[in-house]
Amino acid sequence: MSAEQSAPPVIELSGVRKTYRSGAIEFEALRGIDLEIRGGEYVAIMGPSGSGKSTLMNVLGCLDVVTAGSYRLAGEDVEELDEAELARIRNREIGFVFQGFNLLPSLSAWRNVELPLVYAGVGKEERRERAALALERVGLGDKLDNRPGELSGGQQQRVAVARALVGEPTMILADEPTGNLDSVSTADVLGLFQELNDAGRTIVLITHELEVAQHASRLVRVKDGLIVEPSAVAA
């Protein structure tokens, strides 16, 4: 049994449905999702536009709540949490990496990285120290004071990864993280994810690109709001 197979589940979805309503119109974006991801796994969730993968990402990231079914994140029942509790679990358990980097252009790299710690109430000196360590961890220890506009696309995404890591979350949830990058920067960022996974970090990567998904160790395909290929080895 591998280390990942023996690790406790980070994500447990059972019968998850998500229905959006607008007046008399209903649209079921997720139609009964069962999914388990264990600590230390590197999983790619892949599907075309309209497949439900973005809705699934929002559910996994505690950005949206399920209509039916259950979601346990690191052993906690997410569907029973109120807005304040959802914000707490997002900040504690999940490090987000987005396609658009979501960096504040007026702030230096380390100040962008420290933001999750500000929300967590961490003191200023500790925030600076932990942000510097996170940037060093992603190979940007010499770019602490650079603003996003002074960095390449790949470097900006590395800053975003450092921000995701700084709170030591249970997992990294990356939504199309290479969508705005050229091929060289894409390889750079995917190599970084592999290094983090090799060090034991749980990675969940949302993508519509097979060549990106193949960097994960497991591929989950989503189509029409259902998982159609739950445990394929990405190759």
Side-chain angles (χ1 to χ4, degrees):
M1 181 179 292
S2 69
E4 290 86 356
Q5 289 173 325
S6 61
V10 172
I11 287 171
E12 298 171 271
L13 299 180
S14 179
V16 163
R17 294 177 177 270
K18 179 62 185 179
T19 302
Y20 294 102
R21 295 180 175 87
S22 178
I25 300 173
E26 289 189 355
F27 171 68
E28 196 170 32
L30 300 178
R31 301 192 292 126
I33 297 286
D34 296 315
L35 178 64
E36 182 177 277
I37 297 175
R38 293 186 173 273
E41 279 201 274
Y42 185 175
V43 177
I45 297 176
M46 181 179 166
S49 178
S51 63
K53 72 178 187 302
S54 294
T55 300
L56 181 56
M57 191 281 295
N58 287 337
V59 168
L60 294 177
C62 300
L63 300 169
D64 208 347
V65 295
V66 305
T67 304
S70 67
Y71 174 25
R72 291 175 65 85
L73 174 60
E76 193 161 358
D77 288 315
V78 172
E79 71 274 9
E80 297 180 359
L81 305 180
D82 61 24
E83 286 296 328
E85 291 168 329
L86 284 171
R88 172 186 56 80
I89 200 171
R90 279 196 301 270
N91 199 49
R92 186 187 71 207
E93 303 289 355
I94 306 169
F96 291 95
V97 180
F98 296 104
Q99 177 177 343
F101 315 144
N102 288 9
L103 301 177
L104 297 178
S106 63
L107 298 183
S108 64
W110 80 265
R111 287 196 176 277
N112 269 286
V113 171
E114 75 163 352
L115 288 175
L117 303 180
V118 174
Y119 302 139
V122 177
K124 184 175 180 179
E125 288 187 13
E126 183 179 349
R127 293 199 309 265
R128 171 71 188 239
E129 181 180 350
R130 288 172 64 177
L133 286 172
L135 283 164
E136 185 174 342
R137 193 172 178 182
V138 301
L140 291 179
D142 60 341
K143 303 293 185 183
L144 293 173
D145 295 314
N146 289 75
R147 290 184 171 86
E150 300 169 326
L151 301 172
S152 69
Q155 289 173 328
Q156 289 184 59
Q157 194 61 294
R158 280 182 172 260
V159 173
V161 173
R163 182 183 57 197
L165 288 170
V166 75
E168 294 297 330
T170 300
M171 71 169 175
I172 300 297
L173 181 58
D175 182 26
E176 301 282 5
T178 63
N180 286 340
L181 301 179
D182 60 30
S183 58
V184 173
S185 296
T186 291
D188 181 48
V189 169
L190 291 174
L192 175 58
F193 283 146
Q194 187 61 63
E195 291 173 17
L196 294 171
N197 181 245
D198 289 344
R201 185 73 57 183
T202 306
I203 309 287
V204 180
L205 173 66
I206 313 295
T207 185
H208 68 278
E209 298 180 81
L210 180 58
E211 58 268 35
V212 171
Q214 287 174 330
H215 286 262
S217 55
R218 181 157 69 101
L219 173 60
V220 175
R221 291 182 184 269
V222 180
K223 183 178 180 181
D224 298 329
L226 294 166
I227 289 177
V228 296
E229 194 174 323
S231 58
V233 175

